[in-house]
Amino acid sequence: GEFSRIPLRVRARAYFFNVRDEDGLTFSWRVNGEAPPGSEDPFALSIEFGSDVPSDFAVSIRLSIQNPASSREVASQSINLTFIK
């Protein structure tokens, strides 16, 4: 995929978990293999880039969601995005 806006914002939705409220789930974000700085909203990721970010800059985002009450309820997804000016 591609993106052209900065900051890059990604929002997560947890489907098919046996919980009444998503607040009971653990969201674990990774950007290019690193944990991003903490956010008040675990369902959203906002990535800031400097104004000098080059075109074709690649970003890998991975999200894992787990239900702490059930070790079998886990989901993860990765996406690779390229910045296009």
Side-chain angles (χ1 to χ4, degrees):
E2 299 174 344
F3 70 101
S4 58
R5 286 192 187 148
I6 298 174
L8 173 61
R9 292 190 173 98
V10 180
R11 185 141 187 89
R13 296 300 312 228
Y15 295 102
F16 309 115
F17 282 85
N18 189 22
V19 293
R20 291 185 181 186
D21 188 351
E22 288 181 333
D23 289 333
L25 299 173
T26 301
F27 288 72
S28 179
W29 296 91
R30 305 293 276 182
V31 177
N32 291 340
E34 305 268 333
S39 170
E40 291 182 21
D41 184 357
F43 312 116
L45 176 68
S46 181
I47 306 170
E48 295 282 344
F49 299 97
S51 59
D52 60 344
V53 64
S55 190
D56 294 332
F57 178 75
V59 176
S60 173
I61 300 171
R62 180 172 179 79
L63 172 63
S64 295
I65 305 172
Q66 183 172 7
N67 181 354
S70 174
S71 63
R72 294 177 14 168
E73 288 186 58
V74 178
S76 64
Q77 183 66 46
S78 296
I79 186 168
N80 294 313
L81 301 172
T82 303
F83 179 67
I84 303 297
K85 284 189 177 183

